[in-house]
Amino acid sequence: MALVRLEAGKLAIKQTPPRSYGRAARIAAKAMVHKLLSEGHRRILERESAISVPIINEMGAWTATTKAELSDIGFRQEDIRPPALVLPVLTWAGGECPMYSRIRPDSPRMDSKGRPRKYEQPLGQSCRVYCLPAARAFIEGLQSVAGRPLPELDYIFVTEGEKKAAALVSQGLAALGLPGVWNFKNVDALRGDWDLIGPKGQKVCIVFDSDSATNEQVRKAEDRLADMLRAMGAAVYVCRLLQGDDGAKTGADDFFVRGGTVDELDELIEEHKSEKPEKQANAAEGLIELGRSRAKLWHNANREPFATVPHVSGGFDNLPVRDRSFREWLGGEWYHQRKSAAPKDALDRAVDTLAAHAFFEGQEREIARRVGHADMAVWLDLCDDRRRIVRVAADGWDFVADDACPVRFVRPKHAGSLPEPKPGGNMTALSELLSVDADGLPMIEAFLLGAFMPPPGGFPILIATGEQGSGKSFGCRVLRRLIDPAEPSLRLPPKDERDLAAALGSGFILAFDNLASISPKLSDSLCALATGGGIAARKLYTDSEEHVVMGRRPVLINGINDPASAPDLAERSLFVHFVRPGGDDRKAEADLETLYLANAGGILGAVLDRVSRALRDRGKITPPGALPRMADFAAWVHAGSPEAERELVWQFLAQNRAAKNAQTVEEDALSSAVVALAVSGEFKGTAREMLAKLNLQEEINGPKDRPEGWPASADALGKRLRRIAPVLRGVGIEIWQERGKQRVWHLDQKISKTGVVSVEEAATSTTEPEVGSLVDDTSFDTCDGASLKVSTVETSSLNVDLAFVDASDTCDTSPPIPAGTGERRRIEF
């Protein structure tokens, strides 16, 4: 088989597709580079499909001659045999980077009906809208983008397959390709591509093969596609190709091969008219009119369409238009009027049209779950049958009707109703419901108050620990029910960010039960949620666009032992320890439930009183000390606490964090060793020199002597130092990096070796920025030799034996670090 190289003008892969495009995209891009196209396949494209040479080169088509080449691009079926024409699938979002590749085998295999399968694509691969770069330039010209060329006809053509789309582009037309006439049906990836292309206001012409006028299945597919495009705001036309002289089926490429011209093609275009039964068309129009008259349509900042619909018992519900709940509501309204079920196709068309109305014509509004903020007030959705809202302002709180609330609350399916808050309540019943130590109740009260804090400040994470039978799971359920009751009350930890993002949609509070440990990735995600960051993931229907879920949420975590080993997570957390009650003090859960029901309204009323006080006094009073890491939260809790308790609450917050800092240092081998090095005297040197000193000090002679997580290289040590620096500062160890050729590290103990200061002073000594991020804190990289000032701290005995897991230790590219000798010891100062 003769092979030729692609000529000048071939598609140039300027960069490797990003990881978000998926493995298939990276394989397809790699395969296109320096591949050859056989003479036979070039003849198919150029002579038999009327594709110009520049467009052939832009397609990046090549010939696979071995099974290994087919396997490399995802085709592992044994009955698919080379040679095959490989057509990289280019999309609007991907530009010159293909998403995957389709193939046209020279010897196609047969399907279950004995018909040849002309085209194949990798198993499990979503279909995409094929868009050559030249076609995108033409479409952007129609969309009035400056500097883009206009096509010969002012239509966006939609045809079947890559070759036919390329044939139309070769004639100077804007053309897109579908992988099959029915392949767009219920495929989210294709719909996502259309969202990016933006057909609103454009003339879109469907040009399927000549049998579209006589083949019922093809005509149905054409109507379905036309309805979708019309719902997106396009004016839809069709091109009725004529059959060949011999009665053979004609496609867009065949039309030009047989001498057809662009002007002749233009004469075959007509406005699309649906041939659906009149009754069904009337049903769709009736549903659309019903939705527009009974619902208020709008969208949120994430481009998701919503509808505000009346509830049967009064008030309103805010429903995602594409959600099943809205379809059920619209179908119910139709049934109440017509006493018959709405036709499924009519309901589909109505939902698509109403979604387009919400996005293109509706206002943009913010949504909230359970707690919202607007007009200098905090709004609490009780989710009861009367759809009541509580408005909390600086002058107190009261109930308002749903339609008087400026916040659009979305009520998840399993959301429960809150107890009715009672004026004049108090929190004393919490001491009977929750078996916690002396510091526990102030932390719990601070967490409940902090859950209502307006943005931009971050929420703390409440971590509850205690042995079996201490009631920590029951206690967490009580706290969840006081602010955001839902089923299930407590969840298992999420497996990945997508599960965590899904949990955000189920309610306001995230509550996880019985965590033994928190992975570094989950720890970073929780840190971002605590401080108002977001979780970014690929949308399900496209590889090119990220779906960002913003999550500023209170989080509850319980476990037998403290699972927060990462310093950055610990600094964003409050810690409560549950104690196992004695025999006489132990109550049955049924009795505790009765006690909760009797006091829940008073407890919630007391919390709302504190929220009102915080709104009134925030900014008017000054906390008795420097602000800690969660500065906005600490100031909010201080302002909301009763005046007589404010100073004591501030001390409890300081002690809670200081105790955690000391525990973290005690349980981490590297932190303990760094403290010991600082106690022995000031240090100034490179990370390599520091690691050598630490190895010498801790008697680490080789890999076998390293404690778990001990850095194996200078680079790994630098990364660990940046992560543990906030904790070290919390126990009076100042550490920073001086930028220069050698990037010198400074280590200094800011404590007198004979005198110490209070834990409270140390815990309130440093203010850190509250930045929601899913990556490690690299703020030390900008220190440039400047010291980060901290206060002194009282420290306790630090036992060096445990460590964090350091993911960077797996890559050691530095020369060996000198080992040390001596005895491991307990550090006290």
Side-chain angles (χ1 to χ4, degrees):
M1 179 183 298
L3 298 175
V4 297
R5 292 191 179 275
L6 295 177
E7 301 298 331
K10 67 180 179 182
L11 182 64
I13 302 301
K14 298 179 181 177
Q15 59 182 10
T16 302
R19 295 192 63 84
S20 61
Y21 283 4
R23 181 172 180 270
R26 296 193 299 275
I27 290 174
K30 182 179 179 181
M32 288 176 61
V33 180
H34 306 306
K35 289 297 183 178
L36 305 177
L37 180 66
S38 71
E39 289 287 2
H41 288 160
R42 179 176 286 275
R43 183 172 56 254
I44 290 174
L45 297 175
E46 187 174 352
R47 299 180 184 177
E48 299 179 15
S49 300
I51 304 175
S52 66
V53 172
I55 297 301
I56 291 175
N57 293 331
E58 190 173 275
M59 294 171 69
W62 57 280
T63 299
T65 58
T66 66
K67 289 282 287 185
E69 288 180 319
L70 293 178
S71 178
D72 285 343
I73 57 175
F75 296 92
R76 295 181 174 84
Q77 299 93 324
E78 287 297 326
D79 49 350
I80 296 180
R81 303 184 180 280
L85 173 62
V86 180
L87 299 172
V89 177
L90 304 172
T91 64
W92 181 279
E96 297 178 351
C97 297
M99 290 298 174
Y100 59 96
S101 292
R102 295 214 308 158
I103 62 172
R104 185 180 188 273
D106 288 4
S107 301
R109 57 178 179 162
M110 300 297 172
D111 62 15
S112 59
K113 296 182 180 180
R115 296 175 300 191
R117 303 181 63 167
K118 293 183 180 181
Y119 291 88
E120 304 267 7
Q121 70 183 49
L123 292 175
Q125 175 62 52
S126 297
C127 297
R128 303 300 297 266
V129 176
Y130 181 76
C131 178
L132 287 165
R136 174 170 181 167
F138 283 140
I139 294 173
E140 289 177 336
L142 293 173
Q143 294 172 340
S144 301
V145 176
R148 297 294 189 269
L150 289 172
E152 294 294 322
L153 300 176
D154 59 346
Y155 297 93
I156 300 175
F157 288 91
V158 183
T159 187
E160 179 186 359
E162 296 83 2
K163 292 198 297 95
K164 294 171 184 176
L168 289 164
V169 175
S170 296
Q171 300 296 322
L173 302 174
L176 304 169
L178 299 175
V181 296
W182 273 110
N183 281 7
F184 73 91
K185 181 181 179 182
N186 295 329
V187 178
D188 286 339
L190 284 171
R191 179 57 188 262
D193 285 339
W194 279 113
D195 285 340
L196 294 175
I197 293 167
K200 180 184 179 183
Q202 300 296 319
K203 296 195 298 185
V204 180
C205 180
I206 303 171
V207 53
F208 286 163
D209 291 348
S210 57
D211 63 345
S212 61
T214 57
N215 187 315
E216 183 179 358
Q217 290 301 313
V218 176
R219 191 62 173 266
K220 284 183 178 180
E222 182 182 86
D223 288 343
R224 180 92 176 198
L225 176 59
D227 288 343
M228 185 191 78
L229 293 169
R230 194 176 289 111
M232 298 180 75
V236 184
Y237 297 78
V238 292
C239 181
R240 297 293 180 211
L241 297 175
L242 303 176
Q243 291 185 341
D245 296 336
D246 52 358
K249 183 171 66 173
T250 300
D253 50 351
D254 302 320
F255 175 82
F256 292 113
V257 168
R258 294 170 183 172
T261 65
V262 170
D263 290 338
E264 292 171 343
L265 185 75
D266 190 17
E267 294 176 359
L268 302 175
I269 296 175
E270 61 188 44
E271 186 176 354
H272 175 269
K273 295 180 180 179
S274 175
E275 294 186 0
K276 292 183 178 180
E278 186 66 24
K279 181 179 179 181
Q280 184 174 344
N282 289 339
E285 293 299 327
L287 285 164
I288 293 170
E289 181 60 30
L290 185 61
R292 284 174 172 165
S293 63
R294 296 279 287 158
K296 294 180 180 179
L297 299 167
W298 50 279
H299 62 274
N300 68 356
N302 287 336
R303 302 174 61 186
E304 297 167 327
F306 282 83
T308 299
V309 303
H311 192 263
V312 291
S313 59
F316 300 93
D317 282 326
N318 299 297
L319 307 176
V321 173
R322 298 196 181 279
D323 190 71
R324 180 179 177 181
S325 58
F326 178 76
R327 294 174 63 90
E328 290 176 350
W329 173 83
L330 186 58
E333 294 293 309
W334 177 269
Y335 177 80
H336 292 316
Q337 283 193 2
R338 309 292 180 95
K339 300 302 179 184
S340 64
K344 183 180 182 302
D345 287 347
L347 194 57
D348 290 343
R349 178 184 169 190
V351 168
D352 286 341
T353 302
L354 293 173
H357 178 100
F359 179 71
F360 293 111
E361 298 183 25
Q363 293 182 345
E364 180 177 313
R365 296 181 178 273
E366 292 296 327
I367 64 172
R369 289 175 174 83
R370 192 67 74 174
V371 176
H373 304 90
D375 298 343
M376 305 296 291
V378 177
W379 305 80
L380 175 64
D381 182 12
L382 294 183
C383 281
D384 60 358
D385 292 338
R386 289 183 285 171
R387 294 301 194 257
R388 289 181 300 168
I389 309 293
V390 179
R391 176 184 178 271
V392 188
D395 57 352
W397 57 269
D398 57 356
F399 299 96
V400 299
D402 201 354
D403 56 359
C405 177
V407 178
R408 293 292 184 266
F409 283 107
V410 176
R411 298 172 175 111
K413 182 178 181 181
H414 299 292
S417 60
L418 279 168
E420 181 175 322
K422 297 179 180 179
N426 59 67
M427 298 190 184
T428 55
L430 283 174
S431 60
E432 299 181 58
L433 285 166
L434 309 175
S435 179
V436 296
D437 59 14
D439 296 349
L441 284 176
M443 294 302 100
I444 287 172
E445 292 173 2
F447 175 78
L448 293 174
L449 174 56
F452 294 88
M453 182 178 63
F459 295 128
I461 299 168
L462 185 68
I463 298 180
T465 59
E467 62 178 287
Q468 294 178 353
S470 61
K472 57 185 180 297
S473 293
F474 173 79
C476 288
R477 286 197 294 271
V478 166
L479 298 180
R480 175 82 190 264
R481 290 171 66 184
L482 283 171
I483 302 177
D484 184 36
E487 290 297 334
S489 297
L490 303 177
R491 294 173 170 269
L492 294 175
K495 296 179 181 179
D496 52 31
E497 286 185 356
R498 192 177 296 278
D499 285 349
L500 186 60
L504 289 176
S506 65
F508 177 57
I509 288 184
L510 297 181
F512 301 117
D513 189 32
N514 199 25
L515 269 70
S517 62
I518 298 177
S519 67
K521 192 170 184 179
L522 178 58
S523 176
D524 289 341
S525 297
L526 291 175
C527 288
L529 294 180
T531 50
I535 300 176
R538 281 203 318 271
K539 285 189 177 181
L540 293 177
Y541 53 77
T542 175
D543 291 330
S544 63
E545 187 175 355
E546 283 189 329
H547 179 58
V548 179
V549 180
M550 300 306 295
R552 180 181 168 272
R553 303 292 179 82
V555 180
L556 275 169
I557 294 173
N558 75 64
I560 294 177
N561 297 311
D562 177 9
S565 58
D568 49 353
L569 179 63
E571 284 213 329
R572 292 172 170 88
S573 302
L574 299 176
F575 300 90
V576 175
H577 185 68
F578 282 72
V579 294
R580 189 183 180 95
D584 295 338
D585 297 330
R586 195 167 190 84
K587 296 183 178 70
E589 191 159 333
D591 295 335
L592 290 171
E593 179 68 16
T594 301
L595 182 63
Y596 167 79
L597 293 175
N599 292 277
I603 296 173
L604 181 56
V607 173
L608 298 182
D609 287 340
R610 296 192 177 200
V611 174
S612 177
R613 186 183 297 112
L615 290 171
R616 183 193 68 197
D617 293 346
R618 185 179 56 164
K620 296 180 181 179
I621 62 174
T622 303
L627 293 172
R629 174 80 181 237
M630 303 291 285
D632 291 280
F633 164 75
W636 171 262
V637 171
H638 178 260
S641 300
E643 294 181 13
E645 302 175 14
R646 282 172 176 167
E647 186 171 350
L648 184 61
V649 167
W650 189 264
Q651 292 177 7
F652 274 121
L653 288 172
Q655 291 170 355
N656 189 266
R657 186 168 288 106
K660 177 58 182 177
N661 283 337
Q663 178 188 348
T664 301
V665 171
E666 183 177 354
E667 294 178 350
D668 177 37
L670 179 62
S671 299
S672 299
V674 173
V675 169
L677 181 60
V679 170
S680 66
E682 295 184 9
F683 172 84
K684 178 179 180 181
T686 64
R688 177 179 173 79
E689 292 168 344
M690 183 184 292
L691 185 57
K693 273 209 167 191
L694 291 173
N695 283 338
L696 181 67
Q697 170 186 288
E698 300 300 316
E699 193 187 288
I700 296 176
N701 299 306
K704 293 183 179 180
D705 297 330
R706 296 174 189 154
E708 183 180 359
W710 189 269
S713 67
D715 180 63
L717 175 63
K719 293 178 181 178
R720 286 292 308 280
L721 290 176
R722 294 185 184 96
R723 182 174 281 269
I724 66 176
V727 174
L728 294 176
R729 294 199 305 273
V731 295
I733 304 300
E734 185 179 5
I735 183 169
W736 75 95
Q737 188 182 35
E738 178 184 341
R739 285 294 188 178
K741 291 184 178 180
Q742 290 188 314
R743 295 189 177 184
V744 174
W745 283 92
H746 294 255
L747 181 63
D748 188 12
Q749 180 198 14
K750 291 300 181 183
I751 330 173
S752 167
K753 296 186 178 179
T754 58
V756 296
V757 297
S758 68
V759 172
E760 299 91 274
E761 290 177 338
T764 59
S765 63
T766 305
T767 303
E768 291 284 343
E770 295 182 24
V771 179
S773 171
L774 297 181
V775 298
D776 291 347
D777 182 6
T778 57
S779 59
F780 277 84
D781 289 347
T782 60
C783 289
D784 212 9
S787 169
L788 296 177
K789 300 302 181 183
V790 299
S791 298
T792 55
V793 64
E794 180 182 22
T795 54
S796 57
S797 298
L798 305 176
N799 186 13
V800 234
D801 62 4
L802 297 177
F804 305 126
V805 176
D806 187 359
S808 61
D809 288 350
T810 58
C811 216
D812 186 1
T813 57
S814 302
I817 302 297
T821 59
E823 296 183 359
R824 295 183 62 81
R825 66 204 179 288
R826 185 180 182 86
I827 304 169
E828 297 184 1
F829 62 95

